[in-house]
Amino acid sequence: MRDRIDFRLLGALLKKNRRENTSSFRKGNFDAVGFVMRLLLAGAFIAIFVIFFGKFVDMYLGIKLNNVSDAEERLYELLTLVYGAVLLAMILSGISQINQALFSADDMRVIAALPIGANTLYLSKIILIYLGQLVVACFTVLPVNLTVAAHYAVPTAYYPLTALACVVLPLMSVAISSILALPYHALKVFLKDKFLLNFIVITVLTALLLFLYAYVLEAVKELLLGDDMKYFFNEKVMTGIALCAKYLYPANLISNILLGRELLVSSLVIAGWFLACMAVSLLMIRMILTRSLQSRISGSPNFVKKVKPLAKSRLPFNALLRKEFLMIFRTPGYMFSYFAIAVVMPLLVYFCMSVGSSLAVKLIAVDSNLELAIFLTMLFGMLANMFCSTNISRDGMLFYSLKAMPLNYKQVIFSKVLLCMIVTAFSQLFSAALLAATSYITVANAAFLFVVGMMFGFAQICVATRADFNHPHFSSESDGEIKESGNTVSTVLVIGIVLSFALGGALLLTKMYFSLRGLSEAYAYLTYVITAGIAILSVAGSVTFLLVGLRDRFYRFSGGGLH
Amino acid sequence: MVNDEAPVREEIVSVDGLYKKYSKRADYAVEDVSFKVYAGEIVGILGHNGAGKSTTLKCLEGMLPFDKGAISICGHDIVKEPVKAKSNMGFVTDDHAVFVKMTGIQYIDFMADVYKVPQAIRQIRLDQLEKIFCLGDSIQNLISSYSHGMRQKICMMGSLVHSPKLWILDEPMTGLDPRTMRAVQDYMKYYASIGNAILFSSHALNTVAKICDRVVLIRKGKQVDDIVMSEFADRPDFDFEEYFLSNERQD
């Protein structure tokens, strides 16, 4: 049976998608703080990237291979590697987006019953994903290409071809993602009920990404310290890069086009590649989409490990604690955002410490490992604990059910706080232990770091929980999962970042001030006093914020959309 | 000697002059609603969509605060002694809100823990409830995989695990298959007959007419009638549906 694409229906679906996607910008839904934060962060990131990448381009184009300098060949390699990385990121994101759009999005439950062909439906989703990736391509390819143009005499055609690259890269990414999306879906279905395996896989992948991040950090450090990175790019490494660029399809084809090499062949291969991928993916979609949607609607057998009929009885507080744990552990999004991040947080602190420690010594000639450790622990601990800003909202309408149960308000709220504290204790303990084990700080300082880390963590958890309690934002998804951060998350994030930088900066400046006067030994206690003082104040302030009027607020709670 | 005094009935629910509005500027969603429910009674709350049935029940369950009036469950004020009042009731919400990341059995366990059901009788209760609701092996599955009707069943099982004196149900028959609907109706009658009280809202007028002892009619937030169903028992021509609709038409 043929499944023609109905362009009228396609238009209607795109219109629906556009309306849904712009709904978050409407008055009342718009998270202005978060939007501005994201813009500022993106702007700052691009500015920093352009500065460092520019330096890197100068250095890299000057590298000689077999004592021969070939700037155009180096540029080809550089662009190929960058496009390869961008393409890889876009493919991974594309796979996830296609899966979300086809198999998780709520609208599919309705659309599945409408007289819309699988290919039309698929195309409407793909076009939307493509448009999103087009924006990402503009934010990545343009800074790279324009930085290159500022450091190397590129041909005039390079500029319009850069625009073409922005258009073509997401096309290729979407085409490849389309083919990989279905196997990924099968893997997800396989892992769906295997919560522990899921947790291990996600955590290991995150840790691997962190190792990659550490590698990049190391390179940045070398660049900052002014060491000659050419030593890193020796003959062997350069031969490997050249070989990699030669076979890194299809990223190298775009580099070819940009540099005017094999223009016709590269264009034809890209077009052929795209058409072949799309044809295969449309065929696969036509074969399985309808069946897959039907199985989603009918529900699938979902047996978990057989358990004893009833477990041993627990105290209500412990039952709430367990409920909270299960809710997070069995929701992949939550599990990654909190548990996996909390597990890899010590690695994050360690990697940044390894870079920051030597940077501090070289740039400001001060050994400030403890101060840096406090700053990093506070910053990354805060990022891991951001999740607590949804402590109430995660329950959704079930929060009202909890209200109707014979539970004290303290049991409901404190069970949430305690679970977060257990997670915080884990990440803070391993973080401090790792820094002590790698001799960045002494064992005594590690103990101090753990204690103040717990105090700051506790303060943040209390503030985040109460802030969310005051302004809950319940999900409208059928499973109640929160997929978008609200104003509370952005506000707690801003406060956390400002406080981390303020305390970290204050500690480093104090240390510098006394070190430059040769008094660092005499005034070493200041670090402890300042940190402990602010930690105590934070705890006192946040506990007050959490508890004042909590009982009354619990009784009067009527937010989140219940009418 | 003949005892002329009527037997003292155990009062389970007392709602006295209940007022509730959702915001200061809004009209009252519930206005001056008063009724009592006694042990052994099944009381239905009827009204059109948005009449205030669910709001009344949510105030009763302690989910929503109210502006004026008093509510007590088994003699415990819902505001002053919320934990004691709530210990005596089980509830099923209209949206069948349930922890979908738990398996059915874990949810029952959770509810038993919260209501402090002794270990010794949990399994007996579960077996009793299983006979009525027949979830079978599905009780070991994640609730997220349940159909609408199955979620309704697990909500009901969770609400009964502690054998509450008061069972509150908001639209209980929605989504149930005919066999379970009948089983639930029979169980409601049985449950009331052993000295408990049931308060429920519904649009299923046949069900209400069949099982209720009394019906509280609410229109636009106001209580307009409190009907004792036995008064119509000797009138075979009485059509409860027509009675309800004519009452609504008065608006």
Side-chain angles (χ1 to χ4, degrees):
Chain A
M1 195 180 78
R2 295 196 66 176
D3 181 10
R4 285 174 187 275
I5 293 166
D6 184 330
F7 288 97
R8 198 176 53 81
L9 278 174
L10 183 64
L13 287 170
L14 288 174
K15 195 172 162 190
K16 178 196 90 61
N17 288 337
R18 180 174 55 81
R19 284 185 173 159
E20 281 175 348
N21 285 318
T22 52
S23 68
S24 58
F25 287 96
R26 287 203 195 113
K27 206 177 168 186
N29 286 345
F30 188 52
D31 174 15
V33 181
F35 184 72
V36 173
M37 273 284 297
R38 279 194 289 274
L39 273 186
L40 286 175
L41 280 174
F45 182 79
I46 289 174
I48 292 168
F49 173 80
V50 165
I51 293 167
F52 286 111
F53 188 65
K55 283 182 82 174
F56 182 75
V57 169
D58 283 340
M59 184 276 298
Y60 191 80
L61 297 189
I63 290 174
K64 292 177 183 171
L65 189 57
N66 300 325
N67 278 330
V68 179
S69 179
D70 186 348
E72 192 187 316
E73 192 57 28
R74 296 292 83 77
L75 187 57
Y76 165 76
E77 292 161 3
L78 187 62
L79 288 179
T80 301
L81 290 179
V82 170
Y83 295 153
V86 172
L87 195 60
L88 180 67
M90 285 165 78
I91 288 170
L92 292 177
S93 137
I95 292 170
S96 162
Q97 284 177 309
I98 291 172
N99 262 276
Q100 162 69 20
L102 291 182
F103 304 111
S104 306
D106 271 349
D107 64 345
M108 290 302 272
R109 287 178 187 271
V110 180
I111 289 173
L114 300 178
I116 302 173
N119 281 349
T120 308
L121 184 57
Y122 182 60
L123 213 56
S124 76
K125 298 285 184 189
I126 286 289
I127 288 172
L128 199 75
I129 292 166
Y130 170 76
L131 291 175
Q133 294 215 341
L134 186 64
V135 175
V136 175
C138 290
F139 275 100
T140 48
V141 172
L142 284 180
V144 167
N145 281 20
L146 295 180
T147 309
V148 164
H151 292 261
Y152 179 75
V154 290
T156 321
Y158 177 86
Y159 295 99
L161 287 172
T162 291
L164 184 70
C166 289
V167 176
V168 171
L169 258 176
L171 272 182
M172 295 163 82
S173 129
V174 165
I176 297 168
S177 305
S178 312
I179 293 179
L180 298 176
L182 296 178
Y184 171 73
H185 177 68
L187 182 70
K188 256 179 77 172
V189 170
F190 171 74
L191 286 174
K192 191 180 165 193
D193 308 330
K194 296 162 185 72
F195 303 108
L196 187 62
L197 182 64
N198 217 346
F199 173 65
I200 292 168
V201 169
I202 287 175
T203 309
V204 168
L205 283 177
T206 314
L208 285 176
L209 278 177
L210 275 183
F211 275 105
L212 193 70
Y213 170 72
Y215 193 70
V216 174
L217 269 184
E218 195 61 32
V220 170
K221 185 182 84 178
E222 301 232 335
L223 206 61
L224 280 170
L225 293 179
D227 290 348
D228 197 345
M229 283 185 76
K230 286 180 186 174
Y231 292 119
F232 176 78
F233 293 102
N234 55 35
E235 199 98 336
K236 196 178 160 194
V237 171
M238 287 310 296
T239 309
I241 289 177
L243 200 67
C244 177
K246 191 178 170 189
Y247 293 107
L248 195 61
Y249 289 103
N252 55 2
L253 298 175
I254 298 182
S255 305
N256 271 341
I257 293 174
L258 270 165
L259 298 175
R261 297 163 27 154
E262 302 168 18
L263 200 61
L264 185 66
V265 176
S266 297
S267 306
L268 285 175
V269 172
I270 285 180
W273 180 298
F274 172 72
L275 289 175
C277 286
M278 284 313 287
V280 172
S281 65
L282 282 172
L283 187 71
M284 283 163 71
I285 287 296
R286 204 169 71 193
M287 280 173 6
I288 71 137
L289 184 66
T290 309
R291 217 171 359 155
S292 168
L293 286 174
Q294 283 168 344
S295 75
R296 179 189 167 200
I297 289 165
S298 68
S300 52
N302 195 3
F303 285 97
V304 295
K305 188 178 70 171
K306 287 275 178 190
V307 289
K308 283 180 187 172
L310 281 170
K312 269 180 90 174
S313 61
R314 300 176 181 83
L315 290 172
F317 185 85
N318 295 345
L320 285 170
L321 198 64
R322 183 167 182 267
K323 176 225 91 179
E324 203 66 26
F325 171 78
L326 288 178
M327 258 182 83
I328 299 171
F329 192 65
R330 290 180 175 178
T331 310
Y334 294 165
M335 190 246 286
F336 169 74
S337 314
Y338 200 35
F339 291 161
I341 293 293
V343 169
V344 298
M345 179 260 194
L347 286 178
L348 212 52
V349 171
Y350 168 71
F351 291 145
C352 288
M353 188 73 193
S354 64
V355 174
S357 173
S358 47
L359 260 183
V361 171
K362 186 121 185 181
L363 295 178
I364 56 175
V366 176
D367 175 11
S368 50
N369 279 358
L370 177 62
E371 292 74 13
L372 201 61
I374 293 169
F375 166 62
L376 292 174
T377 303
M378 196 176 164
L379 183 68
F380 290 117
M382 185 274 298
L383 289 176
N385 275 330
M386 277 308 301
F387 186 75
C388 307
S389 305
T390 57
N391 264 354
I392 307 297
S393 299
R394 277 198 312 274
D395 277 339
M397 299 312 269
L398 277 161
F399 192 76
Y400 285 99
S401 294
L402 289 176
K403 272 190 78 183
M405 290 174 195
L407 296 164
N408 189 300
Y409 71 98
K410 288 179 189 162
Q411 290 174 314
V412 175
I413 303 294
F414 293 166
S415 61
K416 292 169 184 293
V417 172
L418 180 63
L419 182 76
C420 296
M421 283 306 292
I422 293 170
V423 176
T424 304
F426 174 85
S427 54
Q428 293 291 349
L429 185 67
F430 278 84
S431 192
L434 190 58
L435 293 184
T438 47
S439 303
Y440 280 113
I441 52 175
T442 63
V443 174
N445 279 344
F448 175 74
L449 191 66
F450 172 69
V451 172
V452 292
M454 286 297 286
M455 289 169 83
F456 285 125
F458 179 62
Q460 189 196 359
I461 291 163
C462 290
V463 169
T465 305
R466 182 60 195 259
D468 189 35
F469 185 57
N470 288 349
H471 304 287
H473 181 78
F474 292 168
S475 166
S476 53
E477 303 278 335
S478 60
D479 57 358
E481 186 178 342
I482 296 173
K483 291 186 173 132
E484 289 171 5
S485 59
N487 262 328
T488 309
V489 179
S490 310
T491 311
V492 173
L493 177 70
V494 172
I495 294 172
I497 288 177
V498 168
L499 281 180
S500 305
F501 275 89
L503 177 66
L507 291 177
L508 284 171
L509 284 175
T510 312
K511 180 84 177 184
M512 263 177 69
Y513 178 81
F514 288 109
S515 295
L516 291 173
R517 280 160 181 72
L519 299 167
S520 64
E521 290 294 318
Y523 288 93
Y525 69 90
L526 271 180
T527 296
Y528 302 101
V529 172
I530 293 173
T531 311
I534 293 177
I536 291 167
L537 282 177
S538 304
V539 169
S542 60
V543 168
T544 310
F545 178 68
L546 174 69
L547 292 180
V548 168
L550 186 62
R551 185 188 180 282
D552 188 51
R553 175 81 196 167
F554 188 78
Y555 168 68
R556 298 228 149 259
F557 183 89
S558 62
L562 181 74
H563 285 293
Chain B
M1 201 176 84
V2 179
N3 187 358
D4 289 336
E5 286 179 20
V8 178
R9 294 192 294 172
E10 186 189 354
E11 184 185 286
I12 304 291
V13 177
S14 167
V15 178
D16 187 16
L18 181 70
Y19 285 80
K20 162 74 188 170
K21 59 164 73 174
Y22 282 101
S23 67
K24 282 180 182 171
R25 287 183 194 163
D27 291 334
Y28 279 107
V30 174
E31 193 173 349
D32 197 19
V33 169
S34 302
F35 60 88
K36 290 185 192 300
V37 182
Y38 297 97
E41 266 191 334
I42 302 178
V43 176
I45 298 187
L46 288 190
H48 56 81
N49 290 332
K53 306 182 297 291
S54 291
T55 302
T56 304
L57 292 183
K58 284 184 169 78
C59 290
L60 245 152
E61 291 157 358
M63 283 189 188
L64 288 179
F66 46 90
D67 301 292
K68 273 192 272 181
I71 296 173
S72 70
I73 315 284
C74 296
H76 301 289
D77 190 292
I78 193 77
V79 179
K80 291 174 189 155
E81 300 175 288
V83 175
K84 281 183 181 168
K86 290 168 189 173
S87 300
N88 286 294
M89 71 179 172
F91 63 92
V92 178
T93 56
D94 53 349
D95 55 0
H96 315 142
V98 63
F99 297 105
V100 295
K101 299 294 175 183
M102 291 182 180
T103 62
I105 198 79
Q106 284 171 339
Y107 178 68
I108 300 291
D109 248 337
F110 172 76
M111 295 299 273
D113 287 335
V114 166
Y115 286 96
K116 298 176 184 166
V117 179
Q119 183 75 34
I121 57 169
R122 285 186 182 198
Q123 191 60 50
I124 300 165
R125 292 263 168 83
L126 182 63
D127 292 342
Q128 286 170 349
L129 294 170
E130 175 56 30
K131 277 181 192 154
I132 304 156
F133 295 101
C134 306
L135 270 180
D137 285 344
S138 301
I139 203 160
Q140 302 285 6
N141 292 354
L142 280 179
I143 296 174
S144 56
S145 70
Y146 283 16
S147 68
H148 181 83
M150 285 162 79
R151 286 190 191 197
Q152 177 75 324
K153 287 180 184 180
I154 199 73
C155 282
M156 288 194 180
M157 290 172 79
S159 70
L160 285 170
V161 76
H162 58 299
S163 288
K165 285 297 284 181
L166 171 67
W167 193 21
I168 302 177
L169 305 106
D170 201 351
E171 306 284 355
M173 303 303 168
T174 313
L176 292 182
D177 56 79
R179 197 199 66 78
T180 311
M181 217 186 290
R182 170 59 72 86
V184 170
Q185 287 174 20
D186 291 345
Y187 190 71
M188 285 168 84
K189 284 185 201 166
Y190 164 76
Y191 200 67
S193 73
I194 57 173
N196 301 304
I198 296 171
L199 182 62
F200 77 106
S201 77
S202 181
H203 289 295
L205 298 178
N206 285 339
T207 306
V208 172
K210 211 189 302 178
I211 65 171
C212 283
D213 298 300
R214 271 176 40 233
V215 172
V216 175
L217 281 186
I218 295 182
R219 196 190 321 139
K220 287 189 174 176
K222 291 176 185 161
Q223 185 180 338
V224 291
D225 213 342
D226 189 340
I227 309 159
V228 178
M229 297 302 282
S230 59
E231 288 175 4
F232 302 101
D234 55 349
R235 282 174 51 186
D237 59 328
F238 176 69
D239 183 343
F240 183 71
E241 187 175 330
E242 192 50 43
Y243 176 85
F244 174 77
L245 291 174
S246 66
N247 203 303
E248 288 289 295
R249 278 195 288 268
Q250 286 173 18
D251 184 22

